Amino acid sequence: MERINQTSSVSEFILLGLSSRPEYQKPLFTLFLMIYFVTIIGNLLIILAIHSDPQLQTPMYFFLSFLSFTDIGFTTTIVPRMLVNFLSGKTISYAGCLTQMYFIYALGNTDSFLLAVMAFDRYVAICDPFHYVTIVSHHRCVLLVAFSCLLTHLHSLLHTLLLNHLTFCDSNVIHHFLCDLSPLMKLSCSSTFVNELVLMTEGPIVLVTPFLFIMFSYVRILITVLKIPSAAGKRKAFSTCGSHLTVVTLFYGSIFYVYLQPLSTYTARDYMATIVYTVLTSMLNPFIYSLRNKDLKQGLRRLLGKRTAQAAPS
């Protein structure tokens, strides 16, 4: 990935960013710096609360801690580069651009697979609670996370290697705030037939399969919950899924809008949808899960109370 394509005369790209107007650069810098700090602190608190609280040592929170860890990496791949662009040069090296694209696809799709794994956890907990401990064992949880990471990194590596064989000989201006596959392919002066073919076949499989699995899980959950006789039982079952469904809606709603369209229709109007799934979802995840989850909320209180007690003078 660090090897520069020898057939390309382009050694760097120019990321135009969100706005070219000078008066917007500092306000945008301040906004995204605040978003970045909130994202990092929020997700770190989730991870620390889960790993320090014995009551949160369950598969659901095990997956959530990995989701938070992935969100930190995902945001760090994107936002610091944006912050540099707001205040200084907008150039990024060829190798740097491909590296950013690799981690965007690897970590973004890891998020997608982890959301599917979390849906599986909720499905077993509600639809087959008596076998939950056996089915969702710690060993199986580790295997599911490892499989999610391995598959998504292989997917990202495939698209990065294919892109590295394209020739860039004219414009090097990317009409975006990050190095994404579609804007880069539009800049190429060589044939992108193979890239587009893989993007339109393998890409949707990796992207849509986890979503379909989530939908299947929630259909089964809905059928099971509707059979519960008491209204209180139904509310309790639905409450365990509310946070996850909210995150799924935000993440997939924006990502499908961006990627499930032909390359020729990809324009700058997709900025906002891209910001939602790359930046805002990672920032909102800790709030969504902590505000709607009593156990996690109590775990965070215990964590913060412990830190406060340790910091207080004796």
Side-chain angles (χ1 to χ4, degrees), residues 74 100-110 152-153 155-156 159-160 179-182 199 259 277:
F74 192 36
Q100 186 191 51
M101 193 198 80
Y102 172 86
F103 283 106
I104 287 172
Y105 276 76
L107 297 174
N109 281 295
T110 299
T152 54
H153 277 270
H155 162 77
S156 183
H159 286 284
T160 305
C179 291
D180 202 355
L181 190 56
S182 294
L199 186 63
Y259 289 108
Y277 85 84

Side-chain angles (χ1 to χ4, degrees), residues 175-196:
H175 294 269
H176 214 316
F177 60 87
L178 50 78
C179 291
D180 202 355
L181 190 56
S182 294
L184 282 167
M185 286 166 59
K186 290 179 76 171
L187 289 180
S188 175
C189 53
S190 59
S191 173
T192 59
F193 174 76
V194 175
N195 303 71
E196 291 187 53

Side-chain angles (χ1 to χ4, degrees), residues 27-58:
L28 285 171
F29 174 87
T30 304
L31 173 64
F32 280 92
L33 182 63
M34 291 172 61
I35 289 173
Y36 184 61
F37 278 139
V38 170
T39 302
I40 299 300
I41 293 169
N43 282 287
L44 277 177
L45 285 174
I46 294 290
I47 294 170
L48 291 172
I50 290 171
H51 287 275
S52 65
D53 194 331
Q55 295 183 28
L56 299 179
Q57 303 302 307
T58 65

Side-chain angles (χ1 to χ4, degrees), residues 203-215:
I205 292 173
V206 173
L207 180 61
V208 177
T209 300
F211 177 75
L212 293 177
F213 188 84
I214 292 170
M215 292 299 99

Side-chain angles (χ1 to χ4, degrees), residues 199-228:
L199 186 63
M200 298 303 293
T201 53
E202 184 267 353
I205 292 173
V206 173
L207 180 61
V208 177
T209 300
F211 177 75
L212 293 177
F213 188 84
I214 292 170
M215 292 299 99
F216 171 78
S217 298
Y218 274 107
V219 168
R220 295 296 302 271
I221 288 171
L222 181 62
I223 293 171
T224 302
V225 170
L226 291 177
K227 293 178 182 178
I228 298 174

Side-chain angles (χ1 to χ4, degrees), residues 32-33 35-36 74-84 279:
F32 280 92
L33 182 63
I35 289 173
Y36 184 61
F74 192 36
T75 306
T76 301
T77 302
I78 297 164
V79 178
R81 179 71 249 180
M82 293 175 67
L83 296 177
V84 170
V279 179

Side-chain angles (χ1 to χ4, degrees), residues 18-160:
L18 294 176
S19 175
S20 59
R21 301 185 67 170
E23 64 269 25
Y24 291 165
Q25 303 307 305
K26 287 186 178 179
L28 285 171
F29 174 87
T30 304
L31 173 64
F32 280 92
L33 182 63
M34 291 172 61
I35 289 173
Y36 184 61
F37 278 139
V38 170
T39 302
I40 299 300
I41 293 169
N43 282 287
L44 277 177
L45 285 174
I46 294 290
I47 294 170
L48 291 172
I50 290 171
H51 287 275
S52 65
D53 194 331
Q55 295 183 28
L56 299 179
Q57 303 302 307
T58 65
M60 180 175 71
Y61 296 112
F62 174 77
F63 296 135
L64 179 57
S65 67
F66 269 94
L67 182 69
S68 292
F69 179 76
T70 305
D71 281 341
I72 289 173
F74 192 36
T75 306
T76 301
T77 302
I78 297 164
V79 178
R81 179 71 249 180
M82 293 175 67
L83 296 177
V84 170
N85 285 6
F86 288 138
L87 297 185
S88 59
K90 296 180 179 292
T91 60
I92 183 171
S93 69
Y94 181 94
C97 193
L98 262 63
T99 301
Q100 186 191 51
M101 193 198 80
Y102 172 86
F103 283 106
I104 287 172
Y105 276 76
L107 297 174
N109 281 295
T110 299
D111 261 5
S112 176
F113 274 77
L114 286 174
L115 289 173
V117 168
M118 292 170 77
F120 169 73
D121 173 79
R122 292 299 83 206
Y123 161 72
V124 177
I126 294 173
C127 300
D128 196 4
F130 296 110
H131 297 97
Y132 178 78
V133 176
T134 305
I135 296 173
V136 194
S137 63
H138 180 71
H139 177 69
R140 191 160 291 165
C141 290
V142 173
L143 287 178
L144 286 170
V145 170
F147 173 77
S148 300
C149 294
L150 177 63
L151 185 63
T152 54
H153 277 270
L154 289 175
H155 162 77
S156 183
L157 182 62
L158 170 65
H159 286 284
T160 305

